[in-house]
PDB file of all heavy atoms in Angstrom:
ATOM      1  N   ASP A  42     -56.145 -81.824   5.701  1.00 98.00           N
ATOM      2  CA  ASP A  42     -55.345 -80.818   4.953  1.00 98.00           C
ATOM      3  C   ASP A  42     -56.049 -79.658   4.481  1.00 98.00           C
ATOM      4  O   ASP A  42     -55.590 -78.530   4.459  1.00 98.00           O
ATOM      5  CB  ASP A  42     -54.596 -81.508   3.827  1.00 98.00           C
ATOM      6  CG  ASP A  42     -53.556 -82.469   4.241  1.00 98.00           C
ATOM      7  OD1 ASP A  42     -53.315 -82.496   5.451  1.00 98.00           O
ATOM      8  OD2 ASP A  42     -53.195 -83.358   3.420  1.00 98.00           O
ATOM      9  N   ALA A  43     -57.233 -79.826   4.047  1.00 97.00           N
ATOM     10  CA  ALA A  43     -58.108 -78.725   3.582  1.00 97.00           C
ATOM     11  C   ALA A  43     -58.366 -77.736   4.609  1.00 97.00           C
ATOM     12  O   ALA A  43     -58.379 -76.527   4.486  1.00 97.00           O
ATOM     13  CB  ALA A  43     -59.440 -79.316   2.951  1.00 97.00           C
ATOM     14  N   ALA A  44     -58.704 -78.305   5.860  1.00 98.00           N
ATOM     15  CA  ALA A  44     -58.963 -77.400   7.066  1.00 98.00           C
ATOM     16  C   ALA A  44     -57.709 -76.671   7.337  1.00 98.00           C
ATOM     17  O   ALA A  44     -57.812 -75.476   7.707  1.00 98.00           O
ATOM     18  CB  ALA A  44     -59.495 -78.223   8.184  1.00 98.00           C
ATOM     19  N   GLN A  45     -56.587 -77.346   7.418  1.00 97.00           N
ATOM     20  CA  GLN A  45     -55.357 -76.703   7.897  1.00 97.00           C
ATOM     21  C   GLN A  45     -54.914 -75.604   6.913  1.00 97.00           C
ATOM     22  O   GLN A  45     -54.440 -74.598   7.390  1.00 97.00           O
ATOM     23  CB  GLN A  45     -54.219 -77.759   8.000  1.00 97.00           C
ATOM     24  CG  GLN A  45     -53.090 -77.217   8.733  1.00 97.00           C
ATOM     25  CD  GLN A  45     -52.078 -78.249   9.160  1.00 97.00           C
ATOM     26  OE1 GLN A  45     -52.030 -79.276   8.408  1.00 97.00           O
ATOM     27  NE2 GLN A  45     -51.249 -77.996  10.195  1.00 97.00           N
ATOM     28  N   ALA A  46     -55.115 -75.858   5.661  1.00 97.00           N
ATOM     29  CA  ALA A  46     -54.615 -74.819   4.649  1.00 97.00           C
ATOM     30  C   ALA A  46     -55.340 -73.500   4.780  1.00 97.00           C
ATOM     31  O   ALA A  46     -54.808 -72.469   4.688  1.00 97.00           O
ATOM     32  CB  ALA A  46     -54.918 -75.419   3.277  1.00 97.00           C
ATOM     33  N   ASP A  47     -56.582 -73.550   5.196  1.00 97.00           N
ATOM     34  CA  ASP A  47     -57.459 -72.336   5.429  1.00 97.00           C
ATOM     35  C   ASP A  47     -58.605 -72.694   6.375  1.00 97.00           C
ATOM     36  O   ASP A  47     -59.796 -72.799   5.807  1.00 97.00           O
ATOM     37  CB  ASP A  47     -57.930 -71.958   3.965  1.00 97.00           C
ATOM     38  CG  ASP A  47     -58.505 -70.462   4.034  1.00 97.00           C
ATOM     39  OD1 ASP A  47     -58.826 -70.117   5.166  1.00 97.00           O
ATOM     40  OD2 ASP A  47     -58.784 -69.897   2.939  1.00 97.00           O
ATOM     41  N   PRO A  48     -58.371 -72.598   7.617  1.00 98.00           N
ATOM     42  CA  PRO A  48     -59.418 -72.949   8.627  1.00 98.00           C
ATOM     43  C   PRO A  48     -60.608 -72.062   8.401  1.00 98.00           C
ATOM     44  O   PRO A  48     -61.747 -72.575   8.527  1.00 98.00           O
ATOM     45  CB  PRO A  48     -58.759 -72.679   9.878  1.00 98.00           C
ATOM     46  CG  PRO A  48     -57.271 -72.677   9.672  1.00 98.00           C
ATOM     47  CD  PRO A  48     -57.030 -72.355   8.273  1.00 98.00           C
ATOM     48  N   GLU A  49     -60.345 -70.756   8.159  1.00 98.00           N
ATOM     49  CA  GLU A  49     -61.493 -69.919   8.115  1.00 98.00           C
ATOM     50  C   GLU A  49     -62.547 -70.291   6.907  1.00 98.00           C
ATOM     51  O   GLU A  49     -63.656 -70.342   7.101  1.00 98.00           O
ATOM     52  CB  GLU A  49     -61.162 -68.450   7.953  1.00 98.00           C
ATOM     53  CG  GLU A  49     -60.912 -67.795   9.225  1.00 98.00           C
ATOM     54  CD  GLU A  49     -59.387 -67.623   9.512  1.00 98.00           C
ATOM     55  OE1 GLU A  49     -58.707 -68.591   9.686  1.00 98.00           O
ATOM     56  OE2 GLU A  49     -59.007 -66.427   9.507  1.00 98.00           O
ATOM     57  N   ALA A  50     -61.899 -70.566   5.823  1.00 98.00           N
ATOM     58  CA  ALA A  50     -62.640 -70.914   4.550  1.00 98.00           C
ATOM     59  C   ALA A  50     -63.392 -72.283   4.825  1.00 98.00           C
ATOM     60  O   ALA A  50     -64.554 -72.442   4.464  1.00 98.00           O
ATOM     61  CB  ALA A  50     -61.735 -70.963   3.330  1.00 98.00           C
ATOM     62  N   PHE A  51     -62.615 -73.172   5.447  1.00 98.00           N
ATOM     63  CA  PHE A  51     -63.171 -74.549   5.678  1.00 98.00           C
ATOM     64  C   PHE A  51     -64.345 -74.448   6.585  1.00 98.00           C
ATOM     65  O   PHE A  51     -65.484 -75.052   6.194  1.00 98.00           O
ATOM     66  CB  PHE A  51     -61.999 -75.413   6.472  1.00 98.00           C
ATOM     67  CG  PHE A  51     -62.491 -76.721   6.835  1.00 98.00           C
ATOM     68  CD1 PHE A  51     -62.453 -77.745   5.986  1.00 98.00           C
ATOM     69  CD2 PHE A  51     -62.816 -76.970   8.246  1.00 98.00           C
ATOM     70  CE1 PHE A  51     -62.907 -79.049   6.441  1.00 98.00           C
ATOM     71  CE2 PHE A  51     -63.267 -78.300   8.557  1.00 98.00           C
ATOM     72  CZ  PHE A  51     -63.244 -79.317   7.642  1.00 98.00           C
ATOM     73  N   TRP A  52     -64.322 -73.673   7.690  1.00 98.00           N
ATOM     74  CA  TRP A  52     -65.422 -73.651   8.658  1.00 98.00           C
ATOM     75  C   TRP A  52     -66.583 -72.678   7.971  1.00 98.00           C
ATOM     76  O   TRP A  52     -67.840 -72.947   8.330  1.00 98.00           O
ATOM     77  CB  TRP A  52     -65.039 -72.960   9.937  1.00 98.00           C
ATOM     78  CG  TRP A  52     -64.310 -73.878  10.763  1.00 98.00           C
ATOM     79  CD1 TRP A  52     -62.970 -73.824  11.110  1.00 98.00           C
ATOM     80  CD2 TRP A  52     -64.566 -75.320  11.203  1.00 98.00           C
ATOM     81  NE1 TRP A  52     -62.398 -74.862  11.796  1.00 98.00           N
ATOM     82  CE2 TRP A  52     -63.439 -75.800  11.910  1.00 98.00           C
ATOM     83  CE3 TRP A  52     -65.721 -76.041  11.171  1.00 98.00           C
ATOM     84  CZ2 TRP A  52     -63.431 -77.017  12.558  1.00 98.00           C
ATOM     85  CZ3 TRP A  52     -65.759 -77.247  11.765  1.00 98.00           C
ATOM     86  CH2 TRP A  52     -64.614 -77.840  12.480  1.00 98.00           C
ATOM     87  N   ALA A  53     -66.276 -71.698   7.255  1.00 98.00           N
ATOM     88  CA  ALA A  53     -67.199 -70.857   6.632  1.00 98.00           C
ATOM     89  C   ALA A  53     -68.203 -71.642   5.734  1.00 98.00           C
ATOM     90  O   ALA A  53     -69.472 -71.578   5.723  1.00 98.00           O
ATOM     91  CB  ALA A  53     -66.612 -69.685   5.895  1.00 98.00           C
ATOM     92  N   LYS A  54     -67.449 -72.453   4.919  1.00 98.00           N
ATOM     93  CA  LYS A  54     -68.294 -73.376   3.855  1.00 98.00           C
ATOM     94  C   LYS A  54     -69.190 -74.244   4.628  1.00 98.00           C
ATOM     95  O   LYS A  54     -70.473 -74.309   4.366  1.00 98.00           O
ATOM     96  CB  LYS A  54     -67.330 -74.071   3.001  1.00 98.00           C
ATOM     97  CG  LYS A  54     -67.994 -75.133   2.046  1.00 98.00           C
ATOM     98  CD  LYS A  54     -66.922 -75.592   1.036  1.00 98.00           C
ATOM     99  CE  LYS A  54     -67.566 -76.501  -0.044  1.00 98.00           C
ATOM    100  NZ  LYS A  54     -67.967 -77.786   0.507  1.00 98.00           N
ATOM    101  N   LEU A  55     -68.740 -74.916   5.783  1.00 98.00           N
ATOM    102  CA  LEU A  55     -69.485 -75.822   6.571  1.00 98.00           C
ATOM    103  C   LEU A  55     -70.691 -75.100   7.224  1.00 98.00           C
ATOM    104  O   LEU A  55     -71.845 -75.457   7.223  1.00 98.00           O
ATOM    105  CB  LEU A  55     -68.736 -76.558   7.590  1.00 98.00           C
ATOM    106  CG  LEU A  55     -67.755 -77.678   7.039  1.00 98.00           C
ATOM    107  CD1 LEU A  55     -67.034 -78.284   8.227  1.00 98.00           C
ATOM    108  CD2 LEU A  55     -68.640 -78.774   6.413  1.00 98.00           C
ATOM    109  N   ALA A  56     -70.319 -73.881   7.764  1.00 98.00           N
ATOM    110  CA  ALA A  56     -71.384 -73.018   8.519  1.00 98.00           C
ATOM    111  C   ALA A  56     -72.557 -72.842   7.532  1.00 98.00           C
ATOM    112  O   ALA A  56     -73.695 -72.815   7.979  1.00 98.00           O
ATOM    113  CB  ALA A  56     -70.762 -71.844   9.085  1.00 98.00           C
ATOM    114  N   LYS A  57     -72.187 -72.408   6.356  1.00 98.00           N
ATOM    115  CA  LYS A  57     -73.301 -72.143   5.248  1.00 98.00           C
ATOM    116  C   LYS A  57     -74.171 -73.265   4.963  1.00 98.00           C
ATOM    117  O   LYS A  57     -75.387 -73.148   4.908  1.00 98.00           O
ATOM    118  CB  LYS A  57     -72.600 -71.596   4.003  1.00 98.00           C
ATOM    119  CG  LYS A  57     -72.298 -70.067   4.086  1.00 98.00           C
ATOM    120  CD  LYS A  57     -71.738 -69.493   2.751  1.00 98.00           C
ATOM    121  CE  LYS A  57     -70.977 -68.311   3.154  1.00 98.00           C
ATOM    122  NZ  LYS A  57     -69.690 -68.311   2.289  1.00 98.00           N
TER     123      LYS A  57
END
Side-chain angles (χ1 to χ4, degrees):
D42 292 346
Q45 189 170 27
D47 190 347
E49 272 105 295
F51 176 80
W52 289 117
K54 177 166 182 290
L55 286 176
K57 276 183 205 139

